[in-house]
Amino acid sequence: MAAQYHHRNLRAELVRVSLDLIAENGVAGFSVAEAARRAKVSAAAPYRHFPDRAALLAAVGTVAARQLRELAEEAAAAETDDGAALAAVAAAHTEFLIDTRIGLHVFFAAELADAQYGELHEARRELIDASLLRCLAISPDPATALELMEQLHTQAYGYGDFYLNGVYQWLGYPTEQVVAKSRRAARIVVEAYRAGSPEISPAKW
């Protein structure tokens, strides 16, 4: 009975255990063999659904991108100001990276660039488009809005990486403090762009 259960639900189960595996060990520690072990199936069983590691990672990335978009939208909906909402989205990216070790570095991974991973690419596009629309509410010029989004993502993931790499843990910062720092930094940047006073404009690069 257990074997039949896993066979019927194996695809979803592999994605679930892979999310857990990556959250513990990062993408570098992720393998199809370990996912199969955690799903309690043979090492060959995953290949009925995923031809290789990249295909499984793409499925995991698709689920993660949708989860992150939902969390970001929930965070933004709790705010009444466009700037605060955008800062909340940045903080959501930081918190999600810390919790799952999955973020834009997975969604845009070179090994997942192939057109066959269209579902991931669509989920990624929806996530990025939602962020860009919020940036356009702050800076209506598309080039400036894109620069704002890039800066916010860079900061958000920088805070998350510092935590995961041990820097902030060495300083004794809990996750909540790092996420709060990310939110405050994002708000400072957002307000600078809203005032039209970022020191370097896209045209000067």
Side-chain angles (χ1 to χ4, degrees):
M1 183 65 69
Q4 291 177 351
Y5 168 83
H6 283 301
H7 180 70
R8 286 198 306 269
N9 301 279
L10 183 55
R11 191 180 198 282
E13 180 68 3
L14 286 167
V15 171
R16 185 189 71 79
V17 299
S18 294
L19 284 164
D20 290 343
L21 180 59
I22 293 171
E24 294 171 18
N25 303 315
V27 174
F30 160 70
S31 70
V32 177
E34 179 59 18
R37 188 189 69 79
R38 294 197 176 200
K40 297 181 172 59
V41 296
S42 71
Y47 296 101
R48 300 170 187 161
H49 300 274
F50 303 102
D52 51 30
R53 178 184 183 276
L56 177 53
L57 183 59
V60 171
T62 301
V63 170
R66 289 171 178 164
Q67 289 177 343
L68 176 53
R69 184 184 176 193
E70 182 177 343
L71 290 172
E73 291 301 307
E74 288 177 357
E79 305 292 342
T80 57
D81 172 78
D82 287 338
L86 192 50
V89 169
H93 277 257
T94 299
E95 186 170 16
F96 190 79
L97 177 62
I98 291 173
D99 289 343
T100 67
R101 297 179 183 261
I102 296 175
L104 298 183
H105 67 295
V106 175
F107 308 148
F108 287 92
E111 64 183 307
L112 304 181
D114 194 280
Q116 66 178 304
Y117 305 124
E119 193 174 8
L120 169 61
H121 300 169
E122 179 66 17
R124 180 185 70 193
R125 183 190 63 78
E126 291 173 355
L127 174 68
I128 295 300
D129 283 356
S131 290
L132 184 56
L133 283 173
R134 294 192 181 280
C135 290
L136 284 166
I138 303 298
S139 298
D141 173 65
T144 306
L146 180 60
E147 184 185 59
L148 170 58
M149 184 181 70
E150 290 173 348
Q151 183 165 346
L152 290 175
H153 281 156
T154 300
Q155 288 184 184
Y157 283 91
Y159 277 102
D161 280 340
F162 266 38
Y163 181 86
L164 292 174
N165 290 337
V167 176
Y168 284 149
Q169 295 183 66
W170 181 79
L171 292 170
Y173 296 167
T175 301
E176 301 79 29
Q177 187 174 359
V178 175
V179 172
K181 285 177 175 290
S182 176
R183 183 191 292 260
R184 285 195 296 272
R187 190 61 188 267
I188 291 169
V189 171
V190 168
E191 293 308 320
Y193 273 81
R194 176 143 60 184
S197 59
E199 293 185 3
I200 301 176
S201 68
K204 294 180 181 179
W205 279 97

